[in-house]
Amino acid sequence: MTSTIPKEAKIISFINMKGGVGKTTLTKDLGYFLATQRNYKILFIDLDPQSNLTQSFFRKFGYHQENLLDLIDPEAEDDGNLETSTTSYKRTIGSDISIQKLFKPGVISHLKRGDCLLQLNENISIIPGTLKAIFSERNSNIENHLFNYINQTKLKEDFDFIFIDCPPTYSNYTISALITSDYFITPSKPDAYSVLGIEMLHEVVKRVKEEHQVYFTSKSLKSLGVVFTELAPYSKGYSDQINEIRTSSKINELNIHFFENHFVYNSYIPKRAEYFISDSFSGTKENLIVLADEFERRFSEIE
C-alpha cells in the first residue's frame, strides 16, 4: 500500500457534463488496474443510467443482471489480445441488488451492505446500476441517500478508493455523487467542446457546494484534474488541441490541473464489455501503468 494514500477510503466522482468522453472506460480500467496490480480495495458505484460499468464487471466476473442486454461483437470472439475471457455466468441477479434501492423515496436506514453491494473478488466490489432505475424524476429527498448509506454501513473503513461513475447530466444523482465525494476527476476529449464542458462542470460543482454547505463543513470537494481520453497514438493535431485547451483563458481562470499522461484509445474496448486493459497484451497497458502512477502521486500533491 502506497503511503501517500490515506487509510480511509477516498471517494472520487468521475464526471463530465458532456457524454462520450470515455468516462466509464477510464473509471473501470483505472480502478481495475489499481485493484489487480496495486492491491488496492476498490468499490465501484454505477450512477450512470446506461449501466455500462455494471455490464463490464458482470461479464468479466460471470454475473448476469436480468434487465441488462449482453451484446457480443462476433468479430471480437477470437480476440487474442486477452489473457482471460469470461463466457459463462456464475449466477443471475435481479435489480434488487443495485443502486435502485438507494434512490427510492423514504428512509434507507434499514439497508445493509449486502442489500446494494456485490463483492466480486477480494479487492473489487460494486454497487450495480440497473436500467430499471428511474433517472428522470427530480426528488431532492433522495440526494443524501448515497452519502447516508456509505456512512451507516461504514464502507470507507474497508476500501481504499470508492469510484463513482456519474451521469453526464445535472440531476439528483449528480448532486448525490458530488456531496458524497472528496474529489472529482474530469475525463475529457481534446476537442472544440472541451473548454465549455470543463467550465460547465466547475459551475455545477460550485453550485452544489453553495447549496449543500452542510456536507462540506469537514471536507472539501477538490478537483484531481482533467484526464484527456480517447486519444489515438501521438499526433501533431491532438498535441495542438491539448495545448490550446490548457492555455485557454477560461481554463486558466479556473486554475485546473491537467494530468500529464493521457488515457489512450484502445480499439478493443468498444467490442467487448468484459475487456480490461490490465488483462490484455495491448500496447496501451503501458500507458495505463504510467497514468496510475501519476494518479497515486497526485494525492501527495493535493493533500
Side-chain angles (χ1 to χ4, degrees), residues 199-221:
E199 187 179 18
M200 284 175 57
L201 174 59
H202 280 258
E203 284 298 317
V204 166
V205 170
K206 180 181 178 182
R207 178 176 175 180
V208 169
K209 292 174 76 171
E210 289 175 348
E211 295 181 355
H212 302 271
Q213 295 182 28
V214 65
Y215 295 97
F216 303 104
T217 55
S218 60
K219 69 166 187 175
S220 181
L221 177 58

Side-chain angles (χ1 to χ4, degrees), residues 52-121:
N52 290 334
L53 183 74
T54 297
Q55 183 164 319
S56 289
F57 277 105
F58 275 20
R59 285 191 58 82
K60 179 68 177 178
F61 287 94
Y63 285 84
H64 173 66
Q65 193 177 73
E66 59 188 13
N67 58 1
L68 284 182
L69 295 176
D70 292 300
L71 301 178
I72 301 174
D73 185 336
E75 296 181 2
E77 284 300 285
D78 295 325
D79 175 16
N81 207 42
L82 285 176
E83 294 178 358
T84 59
S85 178
T86 300
T87 57
S88 60
Y89 295 121
K90 296 177 183 176
R91 58 177 292 202
T92 297
I93 67 168
S95 57
D96 53 327
I97 303 177
S98 75
I99 198 73
Q100 186 178 13
K101 278 191 173 179
L102 286 180
F103 291 110
K104 291 181 178 179
V107 297
I108 62 161
S109 57
H110 63 285
L111 292 178
K112 308 300 182 186
R113 284 193 184 191
D115 291 327
C116 305
L117 183 150
L118 183 66
Q119 184 174 357
L120 300 176
N121 68 16

Side-chain angles (χ1 to χ4, degrees), residues 21 33 37 55 77 106 158 208 218 226 228:
V21 296
F33 177 86
Q37 307 299 315
Q55 183 164 319
E77 284 300 285
D158 293 332
V208 169
S218 60
V226 173
F228 286 116

Side-chain angles (χ1 to χ4, degrees), residues 268-291:
Y268 288 99
I269 289 173
K271 296 179 181 179
R272 299 185 68 160
E274 72 272 28
Y275 182 93
F276 285 78
I277 295 172
S278 300
D279 292 337
S280 76
F281 302 104
S282 169
T284 58
K285 187 173 181 177
E286 182 62 32
N287 161 254
L288 182 59
I289 292 172
V290 296
L291 180 60

